[in-house]
Amino acid sequence: MFIINGYLPIVITDMNTYKSKPEIRQPHKKNRITAEVAEKLKLKEEPVEAIDFSNHHCIYRERLKKALASCKNPHIDKGAQGNRTLLESLRLSSALTNKSPNPIIGINSDTSIEYVNSALEELTGYSSDELIDIKVPYPWWTKSNLKNTRQNFEKAMEKGDYKIEELFTKKNGELFWVEISSTIIKKKGRLQYHLSNWVDITERKRDKEALKDTAFNLKERLKELNCFHEVSLLKDIPDKTLNEFLQDIVDLIPPVGQHPELTCARITFEGNEFKTDNFKKTEHKLTADIKVAGKTAGVVEVCYLGHESENNKDPFLDGERTLVDALAREIGKYTTRVRAEEKLKNTHERLITEQVAIRGKNIALKEVLSQIEFEKKQTTSFIQSNINKIIMPILRKLRDKSDPDEKHYISLLQNSLEEIASPFINKLESKYAGLLPREVQICNMIKNGMTTKEIASNLEISIETIRSQRKNIRKKLGLTSNNIT
């Protein structure tokens, strides 16, 4: 005797093992097929061999049902061998299907679930008891994708062979991706069953999304680097004004954004405004203060013009926030540099102007000095001429008529007058300006050959005073080491 016992229990038996008519022994779960088979075979004793076909696709049940229906007389041995062959075939099919690593699901034409294997139970977290006979929407369908998933399911039921990727949710709420390969079984042109084979592609999807995110981030970073490169080029353009620089910076910002067509920018700096043509203040925005010499001189604003960002995410990336802050710093540095260069340029121009003026003054001064030198020479010549022509003849007459003692003083006076305009006095006063007038007078007397005693007598001071002054004169003139008296 053989028994197939499951969600749709069917009993096959070899009645030759029984001597008397058996009674019905109810299975664990009844349905229409179970009741029908039990009523037909009238079994009461415990089966000798039992096989669980609870995970079998309904097509196998249909085949068993037909096989049972063909057994008009259960006491005939004729059908026993055929039933054993069918049973062995179904036993092998069940083992292969249930051991499949991929989830498998069988669906009736009315969308009710007829069969799921253990792999599908393990993946979704739902047991076969929870899934058999339920109709769409299935519990693993996500609410956010419910409409698209239903449309895809209807296409698969209609077209037959169909492959698609779907995002589902497990019983515990965890999301997972599957690649679904579908096929349909028709009988006389009418849909009988829909079979689907799932392949868990969650890891592949995650890797793909990670790669996509990486590529996207690299693309955004490249845009930011290009922006910085353009800014560096702008800073090196000669004769570019600060206002032109700020407007160029504003125009560079929108293309760097995650949504360039929905991005606008404005720079407000020291009362001046520089903005894109589409600028408009919105709720979604980035701002950064521009600092010059430690004080806030302006602000950079970047606004998102869309009403709602994609997937309700922040329309600005972290890199864009960093970029706006960096641009504000670059503007502050550039402004400081430009102001310093302008100040240096103005100072240089002023120095050049002053240098030209000084050069002109020097030329005029040289002319004045030349004139003074010329006049000095004329004055010296005039004095010398007057001394020689007027004073000297008088002194010579006085000397001739004076006694010997007076002649000495008159000669001293004569020598002094001759040297009033001489180079010695001029050089002495210019080179040794530190000498006192009395010391200059003593030097002149020494030059004329007068002794210390004569100088003291002439100046009416003591000899010791003359010696002390001569000592100071030698010290001032650097003659202390010389043997000069």
Side-chain angles (χ1 to χ4, degrees):
M1 178 178 63
F2 299 91
I3 292 180
I4 301 172
N5 185 20
Y7 292 114
L8 295 177
I10 303 174
V11 181
I12 303 175
T13 182
D14 184 355
M15 299 303 296
N16 291 331
T17 59
Y18 291 92
K19 299 298 183 179
S20 60
K21 184 177 179 180
E23 295 179 354
I24 293 177
R25 193 174 188 84
Q26 296 295 337
H28 296 297
K29 292 184 179 182
K30 287 187 178 182
N31 56 35
R32 60 185 181 83
I33 297 178
T34 302
E36 181 182 347
V37 174
E39 178 68 26
K40 185 173 183 177
L41 299 180
K42 306 296 183 181
L43 297 179
K44 73 172 183 177
E45 293 189 3
E46 199 67 37
V48 176
E49 183 176 358
I51 301 172
D52 183 7
F53 271 77
S54 61
N55 286 330
H56 256 293
H57 188 267
C58 59
I59 188 172
Y60 302 140
R61 299 180 189 136
E62 290 294 323
R63 293 171 64 185
L64 286 172
K65 182 179 177 182
K66 290 180 180 179
L68 289 171
S70 63
C71 297
K72 301 294 184 181
N73 186 358
H75 296 279
I76 301 176
D77 294 337
K78 182 177 180 181
Q81 185 61 36
N83 288 335
R84 289 192 185 93
T85 302
L86 176 60
L87 179 61
E88 292 300 327
S89 175
L90 292 175
R91 185 205 303 265
L92 178 60
S93 297
S94 175
L96 292 175
T97 304
N98 214 32
K99 295 293 183 181
S100 172
N102 293 335
I104 298 174
I105 181 172
I107 300 173
N108 293 317
S109 59
D110 62 354
T111 75
S112 62
I113 296 177
E114 182 71 18
Y115 167 78
V116 294
N117 68 348
S118 58
L120 190 137
E121 291 179 303
E122 182 179 353
L123 178 61
T124 63
Y126 293 100
S127 67
S128 56
D129 287 338
E130 295 174 286
L131 298 178
I132 296 298
D133 290 335
I134 67 171
K135 298 181 180 181
V136 294
Y138 300 128
W140 52 77
W141 287 5
T142 61
K143 293 181 179 180
S144 59
N145 294 336
L146 186 61
K147 183 177 179 180
N148 290 335
T149 303
R150 183 184 291 274
Q151 290 176 349
N152 293 334
F153 177 77
E154 291 173 354
K155 288 180 182 179
M157 293 285 284
E158 181 181 351
K159 290 179 61 176
D161 294 339
Y162 194 74
K163 181 178 285 190
I164 193 171
E165 295 179 357
E166 290 283 3
L167 178 65
F168 291 151
T169 181
K170 298 182 180 181
K171 187 175 181 179
N172 61 9
E174 181 183 347
L175 296 174
F176 65 98
W177 280 93
V178 290
E179 182 184 73
I180 303 175
S181 299
S182 302
T183 188
I184 58 175
I185 299 174
K186 292 184 177 182
K187 183 177 181 181
K188 295 181 180 181
R190 297 183 63 182
L191 175 65
Q192 296 292 311
Y193 311 106
H194 175 269
L195 298 176
S196 295
N197 180 71
W198 292 3
V199 177
D200 186 359
I201 59 171
T202 305
E203 290 299 324
R204 187 176 78 189
K205 271 286 186 180
R206 288 174 181 169
D207 293 341
K208 186 177 179 180
E209 289 298 320
L211 183 61
K212 182 180 178 181
D213 290 342
T214 301
F216 175 77
N217 290 332
L218 288 175
K219 181 181 177 182
E220 295 301 314
R221 298 297 83 74
L222 181 60
K223 290 197 296 184
E224 293 164 13
L225 290 175
N226 287 336
C227 181
F228 276 118
H229 178 66
E230 292 293 332
V231 171
S232 66
L233 294 178
L234 289 174
K235 290 164 63 177
D236 294 332
I237 296 177
D239 302 325
K240 178 174 282 295
T241 66
L242 179 59
N243 288 352
E244 291 173 342
F245 175 77
L246 293 176
Q247 184 60 52
D248 290 340
I249 292 293
V250 165
D251 294 335
L252 285 175
I253 294 175
V256 184
Q258 184 180 189
H259 308 284
E261 70 285 356
L262 298 176
T263 303
C264 60
R266 179 176 69 175
I267 294 176
T268 306
F269 186 78
E270 294 182 344
N272 297 319
E273 186 179 75
F274 310 89
K275 60 184 180 180
T276 56
D277 294 337
N278 64 338
F279 180 79
K280 181 181 178 182
K281 268 195 170 185
T282 63
E283 179 182 353
H284 299 291
K285 65 179 180 178
L286 299 176
T287 60
D289 291 336
I290 301 172
K291 301 281 187 178
V292 178
K295 297 181 179 179
T296 301
V299 62
V300 179
E301 297 175 272
V302 181
C303 296
Y304 176 68
L305 299 176
H307 296 292
E308 194 172 343
S309 60
E310 184 180 0
N311 297 326
N312 293 322
K313 294 181 180 178
D314 192 333
F316 297 110
L317 302 173
D318 291 339
E320 294 176 71
R321 299 176 185 276
T322 304
L323 175 66
V324 172
D325 292 338
L327 287 177
R329 288 194 298 270
E330 288 299 315
I331 292 171
K333 292 179 182 177
Y334 180 78
T335 302
T336 303
R337 191 189 83 180
V338 169
R339 297 279 168 80
E341 289 176 351
E342 288 177 353
K343 187 175 181 180
L344 182 62
K345 183 180 179 181
N346 293 335
T347 302
H348 181 67
E349 291 176 351
R350 189 179 70 254
L351 289 175
I352 291 176
T353 303
E354 292 176 355
Q355 186 178 15
V356 171
I358 291 173
R359 190 178 293 117
K361 291 179 180 179
N362 286 339
I363 294 173
L365 183 60
K366 285 181 180 179
E367 293 177 354
V368 172
L369 291 175
S370 298
Q371 184 65 27
I372 292 173
E373 187 66 25
F374 175 74
E375 292 176 355
K376 180 181 177 181
K377 289 180 179 179
Q378 282 187 330
T379 302
T380 302
S381 177
F382 176 75
I383 293 172
Q384 187 69 43
S385 176
N386 288 337
I387 290 173
N388 292 334
K389 291 179 180 181
I390 299 172
I391 299 176
M392 286 303 179
I394 296 172
L395 290 176
R396 280 193 294 268
K397 288 180 181 181
L398 287 174
R399 186 182 61 183
D400 293 340
K401 295 178 178 181
S402 300
D403 55 35
D405 291 335
E406 292 176 346
K407 284 182 179 180
H408 178 75
Y409 290 107
I410 293 172
S411 296
L412 180 60
L413 179 59
Q414 184 178 359
N415 291 335
S416 297
L417 288 172
E418 287 177 351
E419 292 179 354
I420 287 176
S422 68
F424 171 75
I425 297 298
N426 294 333
K427 291 180 181 178
L428 189 65
E429 290 181 350
S430 62
K431 185 175 182 180
Y432 306 108
L435 294 177
L436 299 173
R438 173 70 76 178
E439 293 172 341
V440 173
Q441 187 179 12
I442 292 173
C443 288
N444 188 32
M445 290 179 175
I446 292 171
K447 180 178 178 293
N448 288 312
M450 295 178 68
T451 64
T452 302
K453 185 178 180 180
E454 291 173 338
I455 296 172
S457 177
N458 185 268
L459 296 177
E460 296 181 352
I461 57 178
S462 68
I463 294 174
E464 292 300 324
T465 300
I466 297 299
R467 286 176 179 172
S468 177
Q469 289 181 342
R470 291 187 69 165
K471 184 178 180 180
N472 289 334
I473 290 170
R474 284 196 299 269
K475 187 181 293 184
K476 289 180 179 180
L477 298 179
L479 303 175
T480 53
S481 61
N482 297 332
N483 296 323
I484 300 175
T485 58

